[in-house]
mmCIF file of all heavy atoms in Angstrom:
data_model
loop_
_atom_site.group_PDB
_atom_site.id
_atom_site.type_symbol
_atom_site.label_atom_id
_atom_site.label_comp_id
_atom_site.label_asym_id
_atom_site.label_seq_id
_atom_site.Cartn_x
_atom_site.Cartn_y
_atom_site.Cartn_z
ATOM 1 N N ARG V 86 3.043 -16.688 12.455
ATOM 2 C CA ARG V 86 1.812 -17.358 12.012
ATOM 3 C C ARG V 86 0.645 -17.097 12.964
ATOM 4 O O ARG V 86 -0.504 -17.230 12.572
ATOM 5 C CB ARG V 86 2.055 -18.853 11.844
ATOM 6 C CG ARG V 86 2.897 -19.161 10.615
ATOM 7 C CD ARG V 86 3.168 -20.645 10.437
ATOM 8 N NE ARG V 86 3.909 -20.879 9.231
ATOM 9 C CZ ARG V 86 3.373 -21.229 8.062
ATOM 10 N NH1 ARG V 86 2.079 -21.400 7.965
ATOM 11 N NH2 ARG V 86 4.123 -21.410 6.999
ATOM 12 N N GLU V 87 0.930 -16.700 14.214
ATOM 13 C CA GLU V 87 -0.138 -16.382 15.160
ATOM 14 C C GLU V 87 -1.019 -15.242 14.656
ATOM 15 O O GLU V 87 -2.205 -15.166 14.980
ATOM 16 C CB GLU V 87 0.451 -16.015 16.526
ATOM 17 C CG GLU V 87 1.013 -17.196 17.278
ATOM 18 C CD GLU V 87 1.656 -16.785 18.591
ATOM 19 O OE1 GLU V 87 1.330 -15.694 19.106
ATOM 20 O OE2 GLU V 87 2.476 -17.559 19.095
ATOM 21 N N VAL V 88 -0.454 -14.358 13.845
ATOM 22 C CA VAL V 88 -1.206 -13.244 13.275
ATOM 23 C C VAL V 88 -2.381 -13.762 12.449
ATOM 24 O O VAL V 88 -3.402 -13.103 12.320
ATOM 25 C CB VAL V 88 -0.273 -12.374 12.393
ATOM 26 C CG1 VAL V 88 -1.034 -11.316 11.621
ATOM 27 C CG2 VAL V 88 0.809 -11.744 13.235
ATOM 28 N N PHE V 89 -2.242 -14.977 11.920
ATOM 29 C CA PHE V 89 -3.253 -15.539 11.028
ATOM 30 C C PHE V 89 -4.233 -16.455 11.752
ATOM 31 O O PHE V 89 -5.065 -17.086 11.115
ATOM 32 C CB PHE V 89 -2.573 -16.321 9.902
ATOM 33 C CG PHE V 89 -1.663 -15.462 9.068
ATOM 34 C CD1 PHE V 89 -0.312 -15.368 9.358
ATOM 35 C CD2 PHE V 89 -2.178 -14.723 8.027
ATOM 36 C CE1 PHE V 89 0.519 -14.569 8.602
ATOM 37 C CE2 PHE V 89 -1.354 -13.904 7.263
ATOM 38 C CZ PHE V 89 0.002 -13.837 7.556
ATOM 39 N N GLY V 90 -4.164 -16.526 13.079
ATOM 40 C CA GLY V 90 -5.067 -17.389 13.836
ATOM 41 C C GLY V 90 -6.525 -17.129 13.496
ATOM 42 O O GLY V 90 -6.942 -15.985 13.353
ATOM 43 N N GLY V 91 -7.268 -18.196 13.328
ATOM 44 C CA GLY V 91 -8.684 -18.070 13.005
ATOM 45 C C GLY V 91 -8.956 -17.832 11.534
ATOM 46 O O GLY V 91 -10.071 -17.530 11.147
ATOM 47 N N HIS V 92 -7.949 -17.963 10.714
ATOM 48 C CA HIS V 92 -8.082 -17.790 9.262
ATOM 49 C C HIS V 92 -8.870 -16.541 8.891
ATOM 50 O O HIS V 92 -10.014 -16.607 8.449
ATOM 51 C CB HIS V 92 -8.703 -19.034 8.622
ATOM 52 C CG HIS V 92 -7.834 -20.236 8.746
ATOM 53 N ND1 HIS V 92 -6.662 -20.359 8.049
ATOM 54 C CD2 HIS V 92 -7.946 -21.345 9.494
ATOM 55 C CE1 HIS V 92 -6.081 -21.509 8.364
ATOM 56 N NE2 HIS V 92 -6.846 -22.122 9.248
ATOM 57 N N PRO V 93 -8.252 -15.368 9.070
ATOM 58 C CA PRO V 93 -8.949 -14.114 8.769
ATOM 59 C C PRO V 93 -9.164 -13.931 7.263
ATOM 60 O O PRO V 93 -8.534 -14.593 6.441
ATOM 61 C CB PRO V 93 -7.971 -13.057 9.287
ATOM 62 C CG PRO V 93 -6.633 -13.709 9.151
ATOM 63 C CD PRO V 93 -6.870 -15.165 9.457
ATOM 64 N N MET V 94 -10.044 -13.002 6.939
ATOM 65 C CA MET V 94 -10.206 -12.565 5.560
ATOM 66 C C MET V 94 -9.047 -11.608 5.273
ATOM 67 O O MET V 94 -8.798 -10.684 6.062
ATOM 68 C CB MET V 94 -11.542 -11.857 5.368
ATOM 69 C CG MET V 94 -12.739 -12.749 5.658
ATOM 70 S SD MET V 94 -12.805 -14.222 4.646
ATOM 71 C CE MET V 94 -13.551 -13.588 3.187
ATOM 72 N N LEU V 95 -8.337 -11.819 4.190
ATOM 73 C CA LEU V 95 -7.169 -11.011 3.854
ATOM 74 C C LEU V 95 -7.566 -9.860 2.938
ATOM 75 O O LEU V 95 -8.241 -10.058 1.930
ATOM 76 C CB LEU V 95 -6.104 -11.873 3.175
ATOM 77 C CG LEU V 95 -5.672 -13.126 3.947
ATOM 78 C CD1 LEU V 95 -4.589 -13.867 3.179
ATOM 79 C CD2 LEU V 95 -5.204 -12.792 5.350
ATOM 80 N N VAL V 96 -7.139 -8.660 3.307
ATOM 81 C CA VAL V 96 -7.453 -7.461 2.541
ATOM 82 C C VAL V 96 -6.155 -6.868 2.013
ATOM 83 O O VAL V 96 -5.347 -6.371 2.794
ATOM 84 C CB VAL V 96 -8.191 -6.412 3.414
ATOM 85 C CG1 VAL V 96 -8.493 -5.155 2.607
ATOM 86 C CG2 VAL V 96 -9.446 -7.002 4.027
ATOM 87 N N PRO V 97 -5.927 -6.936 0.694
ATOM 88 C CA PRO V 97 -4.690 -6.354 0.164
ATOM 89 C C PRO V 97 -4.692 -4.833 0.277
ATOM 90 O O PRO V 97 -5.708 -4.183 0.012
ATOM 91 C CB PRO V 97 -4.677 -6.798 -1.301
ATOM 92 C CG PRO V 97 -6.048 -7.248 -1.617
ATOM 93 C CD PRO V 97 -6.737 -7.564 -0.333
ATOM 94 N N VAL V 98 -3.574 -4.276 0.699
ATOM 95 C CA VAL V 98 -3.417 -2.828 0.814
ATOM 96 C C VAL V 98 -3.165 -2.278 -0.592
ATOM 97 O O VAL V 98 -2.305 -2.782 -1.306
ATOM 98 C CB VAL V 98 -2.238 -2.481 1.754
ATOM 99 C CG1 VAL V 98 -1.929 -0.996 1.724
ATOM 100 C CG2 VAL V 98 -2.546 -2.942 3.172
ATOM 101 N N PRO V 99 -3.918 -1.254 -0.994
ATOM 102 C CA PRO V 99 -3.694 -0.707 -2.338
ATOM 103 C C PRO V 99 -2.376 0.041 -2.425
ATOM 104 O O PRO V 99 -1.873 0.555 -1.425
ATOM 105 C CB PRO V 99 -4.887 0.230 -2.543
ATOM 106 C CG PRO V 99 -5.361 0.572 -1.188
ATOM 107 C CD PRO V 99 -5.014 -0.585 -0.301
ATOM 108 N N GLY V 100 -1.845 0.108 -3.625
ATOM 109 C CA GLY V 100 -0.637 0.883 -3.868
ATOM 110 C C GLY V 100 -0.947 2.368 -3.856
ATOM 111 O O GLY V 100 -2.083 2.796 -3.614
ATOM 112 N N SER V 101 0.043 3.163 -4.156
ATOM 113 C CA SER V 101 -0.132 4.615 -4.124
ATOM 114 C C SER V 101 -0.904 5.147 -5.330
ATOM 115 O O SER V 101 -1.528 6.190 -5.253
ATOM 116 C CB SER V 101 1.232 5.295 -4.055
ATOM 117 O OG SER V 101 2.019 4.913 -5.173
ATOM 118 N N GLY V 102 -0.874 4.398 -6.434
ATOM 119 C CA GLY V 102 -1.563 4.847 -7.646
ATOM 120 C C GLY V 102 -2.919 4.187 -7.791
ATOM 121 O O GLY V 102 -3.326 3.357 -6.977
ATOM 122 N N LEU V 103 -3.611 4.573 -8.851
ATOM 123 C CA LEU V 103 -4.886 3.954 -9.164
ATOM 124 C C LEU V 103 -4.630 2.598 -9.805
ATOM 125 O O LEU V 103 -3.697 2.449 -10.597
ATOM 126 C CB LEU V 103 -5.695 4.847 -10.105
ATOM 127 C CG LEU V 103 -6.009 6.244 -9.565
ATOM 128 C CD1 LEU V 103 -6.758 7.047 -10.614
ATOM 129 C CD2 LEU V 103 -6.812 6.160 -8.290
ATOM 130 N N THR V 104 -5.443 1.608 -9.467
ATOM 131 C CA THR V 104 -5.279 0.266 -10.012
ATOM 132 C C THR V 104 -5.656 0.270 -11.485
ATOM 133 O O THR V 104 -6.722 0.754 -11.866
ATOM 134 C CB THR V 104 -6.155 -0.739 -9.241
ATOM 135 O OG1 THR V 104 -5.824 -0.645 -7.855
ATOM 136 C CG2 THR V 104 -5.923 -2.153 -9.723
ATOM 137 N N LYS V 105 -4.753 -0.253 -12.298
ATOM 138 C CA LYS V 105 -4.992 -0.340 -13.737
ATOM 139 C C LYS V 105 -5.220 -1.799 -14.110
ATOM 140 O O LYS V 105 -4.637 -2.699 -13.499
ATOM 141 C CB LYS V 105 -3.796 0.219 -14.500
ATOM 142 C CG LYS V 105 -3.544 1.684 -14.219
ATOM 143 C CD LYS V 105 -2.295 2.171 -14.902
ATOM 144 C CE LYS V 105 -2.027 3.615 -14.504
ATOM 145 N NZ LYS V 105 -0.680 4.024 -14.802
ATOM 146 N N PRO V 106 -6.055 -2.039 -15.124
ATOM 147 C CA PRO V 106 -6.293 -3.427 -15.540
ATOM 148 C C PRO V 106 -4.997 -4.102 -15.999
ATOM 149 O O PRO V 106 -4.129 -3.458 -16.580
ATOM 150 C CB PRO V 106 -7.274 -3.298 -16.711
ATOM 151 C CG PRO V 106 -7.757 -1.889 -16.706
ATOM 152 C CD PRO V 106 -6.787 -1.073 -15.917
ATOM 153 N N HIS V 107 -4.883 -5.384 -15.694
ATOM 154 C CA HIS V 107 -3.774 -6.228 -16.151
ATOM 155 C C HIS V 107 -2.415 -5.804 -15.604
ATOM 156 O O HIS V 107 -1.402 -5.962 -16.259
ATOM 157 C CB HIS V 107 -3.733 -6.297 -17.681
ATOM 158 C CG HIS V 107 -5.060 -6.592 -18.295
ATOM 159 N ND1 HIS V 107 -5.711 -7.789 -18.119
ATOM 160 C CD2 HIS V 107 -5.882 -5.822 -19.053
ATOM 161 C CE1 HIS V 107 -6.871 -7.756 -18.756
ATOM 162 N NE2 HIS V 107 -7.000 -6.573 -19.313
ATOM 163 N N THR V 108 -2.393 -5.192 -14.411
ATOM 164 C CA THR V 108 -1.126 -4.859 -13.772
ATOM 165 C C THR V 108 -0.974 -5.706 -12.514
ATOM 166 O O THR V 108 -1.947 -6.199 -11.957
ATOM 167 C CB THR V 108 -1.042 -3.359 -13.391
ATOM 168 O OG1 THR V 108 -2.119 -3.043 -12.508
ATOM 169 C CG2 THR V 108 -1.094 -2.471 -14.621
ATOM 170 N N VAL V 109 0.247 -5.865 -12.084
ATOM 171 C CA VAL V 109 0.530 -6.654 -10.890
ATOM 172 C C VAL V 109 0.205 -5.815 -9.659
ATOM 173 O O VAL V 109 0.607 -4.655 -9.557
ATOM 174 C CB VAL V 109 2.013 -7.089 -10.863
ATOM 175 C CG1 VAL V 109 2.343 -7.807 -9.563
ATOM 176 C CG2 VAL V 109 2.324 -7.957 -12.063
ATOM 177 N N TRP V 110 -0.537 -6.410 -8.737
ATOM 178 C CA TRP V 110 -0.853 -5.779 -7.460
ATOM 179 C C TRP V 110 -0.073 -6.585 -6.428
ATOM 180 O O TRP V 110 -0.524 -7.652 -5.996
ATOM 181 C CB TRP V 110 -2.349 -5.822 -7.234
ATOM 182 C CG TRP V 110 -2.862 -5.151 -5.999
ATOM 183 C CD1 TRP V 110 -2.148 -4.490 -5.036
ATOM 184 C CD2 TRP V 110 -4.228 -5.079 -5.588
ATOM 185 N NE1 TRP V 110 -2.979 -4.013 -4.060
ATOM 186 C CE2 TRP V 110 -4.264 -4.359 -4.376
ATOM 187 C CE3 TRP V 110 -5.424 -5.558 -6.120
ATOM 188 C CZ2 TRP V 110 -5.446 -4.117 -3.688
ATOM 189 C CZ3 TRP V 110 -6.595 -5.306 -5.437
ATOM 190 C CH2 TRP V 110 -6.598 -4.576 -4.241
ATOM 191 N N PRO V 111 1.112 -6.113 -6.001
ATOM 192 C CA PRO V 111 1.973 -6.915 -5.121
ATOM 193 C C PRO V 111 1.272 -7.415 -3.854
ATOM 194 O O PRO V 111 1.435 -8.565 -3.472
ATOM 195 C CB PRO V 111 3.131 -5.978 -4.787
ATOM 196 C CG PRO V 111 3.186 -5.046 -5.953
ATOM 197 C CD PRO V 111 1.752 -4.845 -6.370
ATOM 198 N N SER V 112 0.490 -6.567 -3.203
ATOM 199 C CA SER V 112 -0.181 -6.989 -1.975
ATOM 200 C C SER V 112 -1.186 -8.105 -2.240
ATOM 201 O O SER V 112 -1.352 -9.013 -1.423
ATOM 202 C CB SER V 112 -0.896 -5.802 -1.321
ATOM 203 O OG SER V 112 0.042 -4.823 -0.958
ATOM 204 N N ARG V 113 -1.831 -8.041 -3.368
ATOM 205 C CA ARG V 113 -2.776 -9.112 -3.740
ATOM 206 C C ARG V 113 -2.017 -10.409 -3.973
ATOM 207 O O ARG V 113 -2.469 -11.475 -3.578
ATOM 208 C CB ARG V 113 -3.569 -8.703 -4.980
ATOM 209 C CG ARG V 113 -4.377 -9.839 -5.572
ATOM 210 C CD ARG V 113 -5.806 -9.628 -5.398
ATOM 211 N NE ARG V 113 -6.555 -10.833 -5.773
ATOM 212 C CZ ARG V 113 -7.832 -10.883 -5.796
ATOM 213 N NH1 ARG V 113 -8.525 -9.831 -5.454
ATOM 214 N NH2 ARG V 113 -8.465 -11.973 -6.128
ATOM 215 N N ARG V 114 -0.851 -10.322 -4.614
ATOM 216 C CA ARG V 114 -0.032 -11.522 -4.850
ATOM 217 C C ARG V 114 0.373 -12.154 -3.514
ATOM 218 O O ARG V 114 0.361 -13.371 -3.361
ATOM 219 C CB ARG V 114 1.228 -11.166 -5.644
ATOM 220 C CG ARG V 114 1.161 -11.400 -7.100
ATOM 221 C CD ARG V 114 0.977 -12.874 -7.501
ATOM 222 N NE ARG V 114 2.086 -13.721 -7.126
ATOM 223 C CZ ARG V 114 1.974 -14.814 -6.367
ATOM 224 N NH1 ARG V 114 0.820 -15.195 -5.871
ATOM 225 N NH2 ARG V 114 3.030 -15.545 -6.084
#
Side-chain angles (χ1 to χ4, degrees):
R86 287 179 177 263
E87 288 177 21
V88 172
F89 300 93
H92 295 290
M94 298 301 277
L95 306 181
V96 179
V98 172
S101 58
L103 301 177
T104 305
K105 298 175 184 164
H107 312 294
T108 59
V109 175
W110 183 0
S112 298
R113 170 111 189 185
R114 263 297 296 124

